[in-house]
Amino acid sequence: MDGRPPRGERGYRADIPATRRLRSAAMDFRTWLERTGAARISAFPDSARTAGQDA
């Protein structure tokens, strides 16, 4: 083993296993996108467009 974390556990020098011990609901980007992120992202342009109409 070369001391690097397993594939999928890399990140920006973050201690992913420690983060998951502290916050078990922590998700990687792909999981977040599948569960809630895509809906939030797609709703953003709609909310910005609606907010602009109030001005």
Side-chain angles (χ1 to χ4, degrees), residues 3-45:
R4 290 185 296 176
R7 187 174 187 166
E9 296 291 325
R10 291 184 185 162
Y12 293 93
R13 296 184 184 173
D15 189 343
I16 303 299
T19 301
R20 288 196 174 129
R21 284 192 300 272
L22 293 171
R23 183 166 171 95
S24 61
M27 296 177 257
D28 61 18
F29 180 71
R30 182 175 302 215
T31 304
W32 174 81
L33 194 60
E34 290 171 354
R35 291 185 185 175
T36 62
R40 289 182 179 195
I41 291 169
S42 65
F44 180 75

